[in-house]
Amino acid sequence: MKKPSTYFFTEESSSLNEFLSFGLSLDCVVFGYHEGEVQVLLVERSVEPYKGSWALVGDLVHPESDLASSANRILENLTGLSGIFMEQFHTFDAVDRHPLGRVVTVGYYSLVQSKHYHPVASAWAKSTRWFSISELPELAFDHKEILDKGIQTLKRRVRYRPVGFELLPSKFTLGQLQSLYEALLSEKFDKPNFRKKILRMDLVTPLNEYQENVSHRPAKLYAFDERRYNLLRKEGFAFEL
Amino acid sequence: MKKPSTYFFTEESSSLNEFLSFGLSLDCVVFGYHEGEVQVLLVERSVEPYKGSWALVGDLVHPESDLASSANRILENLTGLSGIFMEQFHTFDAVDRHPLGRVVTVGYYSLVQSKHYHPVASAWAKSTRWFSISELPELAFDHKEILDKGIQTLKRRVRYRPVGFELLPSKFTLGQLQSLYEALLSEKFDKPNFRKKILRMDLVTPLNEYQENVSHRPAKLYAFDERRYNLLRKEGFAFEL
DNA sequence: AAACTTAAAGTACAAAAAACTATAAGTATA
DNA sequence: TATACTTATAGTTTTTTGTACTTTAAGTTT
């Protein structure tokens, strides 16, 4: 990259170079869902600082790459999966948040089906583990703050994004969908009304398939209609439950 | 600030210094409201790059300060007002977004009453002006993208923040409040129901004062109850209109 | 000064939606 | 064949929304 030669910042006469001294990192709250419980993937750091502590999945961003591609690289390295759903939620910039320098971090969250995730060996992670969001360990850096903000954001965005579908298999029952939303929002819904509302939105299409090997009436399976969602999203619809 | 000496990033063996080469800036979408219209404050740049173009209010962040204090400094310089409501909404990081180097910018929005705003001479602004959000000029950098995302975010946050009150005088009528929300959301509300909902929330307290010099029945004046709002916010309430 | 205009504030009621209750249906297991 | 469990839906009650209309309080016009 060409180094700048002109002044940009005019409040005091100092060159732009002086201001190009920030580090940029990305920390991702990887949400999973398993048997009615919302989980978060954490890694045990194998390097200083905070060696041995649990931390969010994250890394520094290379000066030549952007956040979205860094995020994909980081998650693909860790999970072996590419094209995972991921969204930015907040930037954390406390001056002393990183012990080794001025590093600003951008918080992302991502949604994966726990069962699709398989741990991959990594240079910076001694181990990785799913934690229930109700039983979290102490975290490195300001990762507790980032995680809390991530959970808070997810709970809101769930209301106007089809976030839930990322956490379910491609064929699911309305009961599973309801349990997921109840776990995400820590709130119970009325079954008949939940069904009515979901079906009215036309976001899911019924399949001619049913659950198998269950010791009760088998539920009909549904699939998420992505085309229909993209249509609705343009009009700015709300996911009212 | 102490320069780091240890390795942090282990994917390749390079020192942290190599990664401390980002610039950090802040761009603020200053929203105003005047006679039923939502406006944005733009500045005409008097310095390169994009000299002469309209741009959002923004500046580089000093390595020793954080975003919140930079934001306050920038807005106080420009408007002469301090303690203005301001909130982060998204970080923009395209590699080529700034012609002079790798500068990542954090988008904020702020809400001010246009009539309280008085332009202040500034080193980097030839002039400043309010624009209606329906008649915007071409903007410098990626400011169009930032502005669009800011408007989109405001429209959503209006639903669970008392954002509206920042844009009204301390004593206002319910009619004014309703017009403001209609302008912000480009949506009409039913008057009796709007009143019921607002009053039910207990966020506004009626005063024993009335409009004056209007050629019709004068409306009762109300004030926003900040204490009550802080109570409700902890429970995570929604502003359902 | 009486009649008119304008908008606030509130009332009444029908229509729609949501919340709640109850019950029938389908499958596996005891 | 009974029972345990869960899906699926019908129906009833309660709450919310939308519409129309009434009353009140000013200023404006004739």
Short mmCIF file of all heavy atoms in Angstrom, two decimals, chain A residues 190 192-193 196-197 200 213-218, chain C residues 17-22 24-29:
data_model
loop_
_atom_site.label_atom_id
_atom_site.label_comp_id
_atom_site.label_asym_id
_atom_site.label_seq_id
_atom_site.Cartn_x
_atom_site.Cartn_y
_atom_site.Cartn_z
N ASP A 190 -47.16 -19.47 23.05
CA ASP A 190 -48.36 -20.31 22.94
C ASP A 190 -48.29 -21.10 21.63
O ASP A 190 -48.06 -20.53 20.56
CB ASP A 190 -49.58 -19.39 22.95
CG ASP A 190 -50.85 -20.16 22.66
OD1 ASP A 190 -51.22 -21.00 23.50
OD2 ASP A 190 -51.45 -19.93 21.59
N PRO A 192 -50.50 -22.88 19.57
CA PRO A 192 -51.36 -22.59 18.42
C PRO A 192 -51.02 -21.25 17.76
O PRO A 192 -50.98 -21.16 16.53
CB PRO A 192 -52.77 -22.55 19.02
CG PRO A 192 -52.68 -23.35 20.26
CD PRO A 192 -51.29 -23.18 20.78
N ASN A 193 -50.76 -20.25 18.58
CA ASN A 193 -50.46 -18.95 18.00
C ASN A 193 -49.10 -18.91 17.30
O ASN A 193 -48.97 -18.29 16.25
CB ASN A 193 -50.52 -17.87 19.08
CG ASN A 193 -51.93 -17.58 19.51
OD1 ASN A 193 -52.84 -17.64 18.70
ND2 ASN A 193 -52.11 -17.29 20.78
N LYS A 196 -49.63 -20.41 13.91
CA LYS A 196 -50.38 -19.50 13.04
C LYS A 196 -49.46 -18.40 12.49
O LYS A 196 -49.42 -18.14 11.30
CB LYS A 196 -51.53 -18.84 13.82
CG LYS A 196 -52.84 -19.60 13.79
CD LYS A 196 -53.94 -18.77 14.47
CE LYS A 196 -54.64 -19.57 15.57
NZ LYS A 196 -55.39 -18.72 16.52
N LYS A 197 -48.73 -17.77 13.40
CA LYS A 197 -47.90 -16.64 12.98
C LYS A 197 -46.80 -17.06 12.02
O LYS A 197 -46.56 -16.40 11.01
CB LYS A 197 -47.28 -15.98 14.21
CG LYS A 197 -48.28 -15.18 15.01
CD LYS A 197 -47.60 -14.51 16.18
CE LYS A 197 -48.61 -14.09 17.23
NZ LYS A 197 -47.94 -13.56 18.43
N ARG A 200 -48.32 -17.91 8.67
CA ARG A 200 -48.85 -16.74 7.99
C ARG A 200 -47.74 -15.99 7.25
O ARG A 200 -47.98 -15.36 6.23
CB ARG A 200 -49.51 -15.83 9.03
CG ARG A 200 -50.55 -14.90 8.43
CD ARG A 200 -51.09 -13.96 9.48
NE ARG A 200 -51.13 -14.60 10.81
CZ ARG A 200 -51.18 -13.94 11.95
NH1 ARG A 200 -51.19 -12.62 11.96
NH2 ARG A 200 -51.21 -14.58 13.10
N ASN A 213 -39.46 -42.69 13.82
CA ASN A 213 -38.95 -43.29 15.05
C ASN A 213 -39.17 -42.44 16.29
O ASN A 213 -38.31 -42.32 17.14
CB ASN A 213 -37.46 -43.60 14.93
CG ASN A 213 -37.21 -44.62 13.84
OD1 ASN A 213 -37.95 -45.61 13.75
ND2 ASN A 213 -36.22 -44.38 13.02
N VAL A 214 -40.32 -41.79 16.36
CA VAL A 214 -40.66 -41.09 17.60
C VAL A 214 -41.87 -41.80 18.21
O VAL A 214 -42.72 -42.30 17.47
CB VAL A 214 -40.98 -39.60 17.36
CG1 VAL A 214 -39.71 -38.82 17.12
CG2 VAL A 214 -41.96 -39.43 16.21
N SER A 215 -41.89 -41.87 19.51
CA SER A 215 -42.93 -42.63 20.18
C SER A 215 -44.18 -41.78 20.43
O SER A 215 -44.74 -41.77 21.51
CB SER A 215 -42.41 -43.17 21.50
OG SER A 215 -42.25 -42.12 22.40
N HIS A 216 -44.54 -41.04 19.44
CA HIS A 216 -45.76 -40.21 19.52
C HIS A 216 -46.11 -39.81 18.11
O HIS A 216 -45.36 -40.14 17.16
CB HIS A 216 -45.51 -38.98 20.39
CG HIS A 216 -44.33 -38.17 19.97
ND1 HIS A 216 -44.35 -37.36 18.87
CD2 HIS A 216 -43.08 -38.08 20.47
CE1 HIS A 216 -43.18 -36.77 18.74
NE2 HIS A 216 -42.38 -37.20 19.68
N ARG A 217 -47.17 -39.13 17.95
CA ARG A 217 -47.58 -38.71 16.60
C ARG A 217 -46.42 -37.97 15.92
O ARG A 217 -45.89 -37.01 16.46
CB ARG A 217 -48.79 -37.78 16.72
CG ARG A 217 -49.19 -37.19 15.39
CD ARG A 217 -50.49 -36.45 15.50
NE ARG A 217 -50.80 -35.75 14.28
CZ ARG A 217 -51.89 -35.04 14.11
NH1 ARG A 217 -52.77 -34.91 15.09
NH2 ARG A 217 -52.12 -34.44 12.99
N PRO A 218 -46.01 -38.39 14.73
CA PRO A 218 -44.86 -37.75 14.08
C PRO A 218 -45.24 -36.38 13.52
O PRO A 218 -46.34 -36.21 12.97
CB PRO A 218 -44.52 -38.72 12.95
CG PRO A 218 -45.79 -39.42 12.64
CD PRO A 218 -46.57 -39.49 13.92
P DA C 17 -56.28 -9.43 11.33
OP1 DA C 17 -55.22 -8.88 10.46
OP2 DA C 17 -57.05 -10.63 10.92
"O5'" DA C 17 -55.65 -9.70 12.77
"C5'" DA C 17 -55.12 -8.60 13.50
"C4'" DA C 17 -54.82 -9.05 14.91
"O4'" DA C 17 -56.04 -9.28 15.63
"C3'" DA C 17 -54.02 -10.35 14.98
"O3'" DA C 17 -52.82 -10.03 15.65
"C2'" DA C 17 -54.93 -11.33 15.73
"C1'" DA C 17 -55.86 -10.38 16.49
N9 DA C 17 -57.19 -10.88 16.78
C8 DA C 17 -58.12 -11.37 15.91
N7 DA C 17 -59.26 -11.72 16.47
C5 DA C 17 -59.06 -11.45 17.81
C6 DA C 17 -59.89 -11.60 18.94
N6 DA C 17 -61.14 -12.08 18.89
N1 DA C 17 -59.38 -11.23 20.14
C2 DA C 17 -58.14 -10.75 20.20
N3 DA C 17 -57.27 -10.55 19.20
C4 DA C 17 -57.80 -10.93 18.03
P DA C 18 -51.66 -11.08 15.90
OP1 DA C 18 -50.38 -10.36 15.84
OP2 DA C 18 -51.91 -12.26 15.05
"O5'" DA C 18 -51.92 -11.48 17.41
"C5'" DA C 18 -51.95 -10.46 18.41
"C4'" DA C 18 -52.39 -11.05 19.72
"O4'" DA C 18 -53.77 -11.44 19.62
"C3'" DA C 18 -51.60 -12.28 20.13
"O3'" DA C 18 -51.01 -11.99 21.38
"C2'" DA C 18 -52.64 -13.41 20.17
"C1'" DA C 18 -53.95 -12.65 20.31
N9 DA C 18 -55.13 -13.26 19.70
C8 DA C 18 -55.29 -13.61 18.38
N7 DA C 18 -56.47 -14.11 18.11
C5 DA C 18 -57.12 -14.10 19.33
C6 DA C 18 -58.41 -14.51 19.73
N6 DA C 18 -59.31 -15.02 18.87
N1 DA C 18 -58.74 -14.36 21.03
C2 DA C 18 -57.85 -13.84 21.87
N3 DA C 18 -56.61 -13.41 21.62
C4 DA C 18 -56.31 -13.58 20.32
P DA C 19 -50.26 -13.08 22.24
OP1 DA C 19 -49.33 -12.40 23.15
OP2 DA C 19 -49.83 -14.18 21.37
"O5'" DA C 19 -51.48 -13.63 23.12
"C5'" DA C 19 -51.99 -12.84 24.19
"C4'" DA C 19 -52.94 -13.70 25.00
"O4'" DA C 19 -54.01 -14.15 24.14
"C3'" DA C 19 -52.29 -14.95 25.58
"O3'" DA C 19 -52.62 -14.99 26.96
"C2'" DA C 19 -52.89 -16.10 24.79
"C1'" DA C 19 -54.24 -15.53 24.37
N9 DA C 19 -54.78 -16.05 23.12
C8 DA C 19 -54.15 -16.16 21.92
N7 DA C 19 -54.90 -16.65 20.95
C5 DA C 19 -56.12 -16.88 21.57
C6 DA C 19 -57.35 -17.40 21.10
N6 DA C 19 -57.54 -17.78 19.84
N1 DA C 19 -58.36 -17.49 21.98
C2 DA C 19 -58.17 -17.09 23.24
N3 DA C 19 -57.06 -16.59 23.80
C4 DA C 19 -56.07 -16.51 22.91
P DC C 20 -52.07 -16.15 27.89
OP1 DC C 20 -51.95 -15.60 29.25
OP2 DC C 20 -50.91 -16.79 27.23
"O5'" DC C 20 -53.28 -17.20 27.89
"C5'" DC C 20 -54.58 -16.77 28.31
"C4'" DC C 20 -55.59 -17.85 28.02
"O4'" DC C 20 -55.73 -18.02 26.59
"C3'" DC C 20 -55.21 -19.25 28.55
"O3'" DC C 20 -56.16 -19.60 29.53
"C2'" DC C 20 -55.25 -20.16 27.31
"C1'" DC C 20 -56.12 -19.35 26.35
N1 DC C 20 -55.91 -19.64 24.91
C2 DC C 20 -56.99 -20.09 24.16
O2 DC C 20 -58.09 -20.26 24.72
N3 DC C 20 -56.83 -20.35 22.83
C4 DC C 20 -55.63 -20.17 22.27
N4 DC C 20 -55.52 -20.43 20.96
C5 DC C 20 -54.51 -19.70 23.00
C6 DC C 20 -54.69 -19.45 24.31
P DT C 21 -56.08 -21.05 30.25
OP1 DT C 21 -56.62 -20.86 31.62
OP2 DT C 21 -54.73 -21.62 30.05
"O5'" DT C 21 -57.11 -21.93 29.40
"C5'" DT C 21 -58.44 -21.47 29.19
"C4'" DT C 21 -59.24 -22.59 28.55
"O4'" DT C 21 -58.95 -22.64 27.13
"C3'" DT C 21 -58.96 -23.97 29.10
"O3'" DT C 21 -60.20 -24.57 29.44
"C2'" DT C 21 -58.21 -24.69 27.98
"C1'" DT C 21 -58.74 -23.97 26.73
N1 DT C 21 -57.80 -23.92 25.57
C2 DT C 21 -58.28 -24.23 24.32
O2 DT C 21 -59.43 -24.57 24.11
N3 DT C 21 -57.36 -24.14 23.30
C4 DT C 21 -56.04 -23.77 23.42
O4 DT C 21 -55.31 -23.72 22.42
C5 DT C 21 -55.60 -23.45 24.76
C7 DT C 21 -54.16 -23.06 24.99
C6 DT C 21 -56.49 -23.54 25.77
P DA C 22 -60.27 -26.06 29.99
OP1 DA C 22 -61.47 -26.11 30.86
OP2 DA C 22 -58.95 -26.49 30.50
"O5'" DA C 22 -60.59 -26.88 28.67
"C5'" DA C 22 -61.59 -26.38 27.78
"C4'" DA C 22 -61.68 -27.31 26.59
"O4'" DA C 22 -60.62 -26.99 25.65
"C3'" DA C 22 -61.51 -28.80 26.93
"O3'" DA C 22 -62.59 -29.51 26.33
"C2'" DA C 22 -60.16 -29.18 26.34
"C1'" DA C 22 -60.03 -28.19 25.19
N9 DA C 22 -58.65 -27.86 24.81
C8 DA C 22 -57.61 -27.52 25.63
N7 DA C 22 -56.48 -27.28 24.99
C5 DA C 22 -56.82 -27.48 23.65
C6 DA C 22 -56.07 -27.39 22.46
N6 DA C 22 -54.77 -27.05 22.43
N1 DA C 22 -56.71 -27.65 21.30
C2 DA C 22 -58.01 -27.99 21.34
N3 DA C 22 -58.82 -28.12 22.39
C4 DA C 22 -58.15 -27.84 23.52
P DA C 24 -62.77 -35.22 21.72
OP1 DA C 24 -64.23 -35.12 21.74
OP2 DA C 24 -62.06 -36.05 22.71
"O5'" DA C 24 -62.32 -35.70 20.26
"C5'" DA C 24 -62.46 -34.81 19.16
"C4'" DA C 24 -61.28 -34.99 18.22
"O4'" DA C 24 -60.09 -34.42 18.81
"C3'" DA C 24 -60.95 -36.45 17.91
"O3'" DA C 24 -60.76 -36.56 16.51
"C2'" DA C 24 -59.65 -36.69 18.67
"C1'" DA C 24 -59.01 -35.32 18.64
N9 DA C 24 -58.06 -35.05 19.73
C8 DA C 24 -58.30 -35.08 21.08
N7 DA C 24 -57.25 -34.75 21.81
C5 DA C 24 -56.27 -34.49 20.87
C6 DA C 24 -54.92 -34.11 21.00
N6 DA C 24 -54.31 -33.90 22.17
N1 DA C 24 -54.20 -33.93 19.86
C2 DA C 24 -54.82 -34.13 18.69
N3 DA C 24 -56.07 -34.50 18.45
C4 DA C 24 -56.74 -34.66 19.59
P DA C 25 -60.50 -37.96 15.82
OP1 DA C 25 -61.22 -37.94 14.53
OP2 DA C 25 -60.72 -39.03 16.81
"O5'" DA C 25 -58.94 -37.89 15.53
"C5'" DA C 25 -58.40 -36.85 14.73
"C4'" DA C 25 -56.91 -37.09 14.57
"O4'" DA C 25 -56.24 -36.77 15.81
"C3'" DA C 25 -56.56 -38.55 14.26
"O3'" DA C 25 -55.61 -38.56 13.22
"C2'" DA C 25 -55.98 -39.08 15.57
"C1'" DA C 25 -55.37 -37.82 16.19
N9 DA C 25 -55.29 -37.80 17.64
C8 DA C 25 -56.27 -38.13 18.55
N7 DA C 25 -55.90 -37.98 19.81
C5 DA C 25 -54.59 -37.52 19.71
C6 DA C 25 -53.64 -37.19 20.70
N6 DA C 25 -53.88 -37.25 22.01
N1 DA C 25 -52.43 -36.77 20.27
C2 DA C 25 -52.21 -36.70 18.96
N3 DA C 25 -53.02 -36.99 17.94
C4 DA C 25 -54.20 -37.40 18.39
P DG C 26 -55.23 -39.90 12.50
OP1 DG C 26 -55.13 -39.60 11.05
OP2 DG C 26 -56.09 -40.98 13.00
"O5'" DG C 26 -53.76 -40.14 13.05
"C5'" DG C 26 -52.73 -39.22 12.69
"C4'" DG C 26 -51.43 -39.69 13.32
"O4'" DG C 26 -51.50 -39.49 14.76
"C3'" DG C 26 -51.11 -41.16 13.10
"O3'" DG C 26 -49.73 -41.23 12.76
"C2'" DG C 26 -51.40 -41.81 14.46
"C1'" DG C 26 -51.11 -40.68 15.42
N9 DG C 26 -51.83 -40.66 16.69
C8 DG C 26 -53.17 -40.85 16.91
N7 DG C 26 -53.52 -40.73 18.17
C5 DG C 26 -52.32 -40.46 18.83
C6 DG C 26 -52.04 -40.22 20.22
O6 DG C 26 -52.84 -40.22 21.16
N1 DG C 26 -50.69 -39.99 20.44
C2 DG C 26 -49.74 -39.95 19.46
N2 DG C 26 -48.49 -39.70 19.86
N3 DG C 26 -49.96 -40.16 18.16
C4 DG C 26 -51.28 -40.41 17.93
P DT C 27 -49.11 -42.54 12.08
OP1 DT C 27 -48.16 -42.10 11.05
OP2 DT C 27 -50.20 -43.48 11.75
"O5'" DT C 27 -48.26 -43.16 13.28
"C5'" DT C 27 -47.02 -42.54 13.62
"C4'" DT C 27 -46.58 -42.99 14.99
"O4'" DT C 27 -47.60 -42.71 15.96
"C3'" DT C 27 -46.31 -44.48 15.13
"O3'" DT C 27 -44.89 -44.68 15.11
"C2'" DT C 27 -46.94 -44.87 16.47
"C1'" DT C 27 -47.32 -43.52 17.07
N1 DT C 27 -48.52 -43.53 17.95
C2 DT C 27 -48.36 -43.25 19.28
O2 DT C 27 -47.29 -43.00 19.78
N3 DT C 27 -49.51 -43.28 20.02
C4 DT C 27 -50.79 -43.55 19.57
O4 DT C 27 -51.75 -43.54 20.33
C5 DT C 27 -50.90 -43.83 18.16
C7 DT C 27 -52.23 -44.16 17.55
C6 DT C 27 -49.77 -43.81 17.41
P DA C 28 -44.22 -46.09 15.21
OP1 DA C 28 -42.91 -46.04 14.54
OP2 DA C 28 -45.21 -47.11 14.87
"O5'" DA C 28 -43.95 -46.17 16.79
"C5'" DA C 28 -42.97 -45.30 17.37
"C4'" DA C 28 -42.91 -45.58 18.85
"O4'" DA C 28 -44.22 -45.35 19.44
"C3'" DA C 28 -42.52 -47.01 19.20
"O3'" DA C 28 -41.49 -46.95 20.18
"C2'" DA C 28 -43.80 -47.63 19.75
"C1'" DA C 28 -44.57 -46.43 20.28
N9 DA C 28 -46.02 -46.56 20.19
C8 DA C 28 -46.76 -46.91 19.09
N7 DA C 28 -48.07 -46.92 19.31
C5 DA C 28 -48.18 -46.57 20.64
C6 DA C 28 -49.29 -46.41 21.49
N6 DA C 28 -50.56 -46.60 21.08
N1 DA C 28 -49.06 -46.06 22.77
C2 DA C 28 -47.81 -45.86 23.17
N3 DA C 28 -46.68 -45.98 22.46
C4 DA C 28 -46.94 -46.34 21.20
P DT C 29 -40.74 -48.21 20.71
OP1 DT C 29 -39.34 -47.85 21.00
OP2 DT C 29 -41.09 -49.34 19.84
"O5'" DT C 29 -41.49 -48.41 22.10
"C5'" DT C 29 -41.44 -47.36 23.08
"C4'" DT C 29 -42.28 -47.78 24.26
"O4'" DT C 29 -43.68 -47.77 23.89
"C3'" DT C 29 -41.99 -49.17 24.81
"O3'" DT C 29 -41.77 -49.04 26.21
"C2'" DT C 29 -43.22 -49.98 24.47
"C1'" DT C 29 -44.31 -48.90 24.47
N1 DT C 29 -45.53 -49.17 23.67
C2 DT C 29 -46.76 -49.02 24.27
O2 DT C 29 -46.90 -48.66 25.42
N3 DT C 29 -47.84 -49.27 23.46
C4 DT C 29 -47.81 -49.68 22.13
O4 DT C 29 -48.84 -49.87 21.51
C5 DT C 29 -46.49 -49.83 21.57
C7 DT C 29 -46.34 -50.27 20.14
C6 DT C 29 -45.41 -49.58 22.35
#
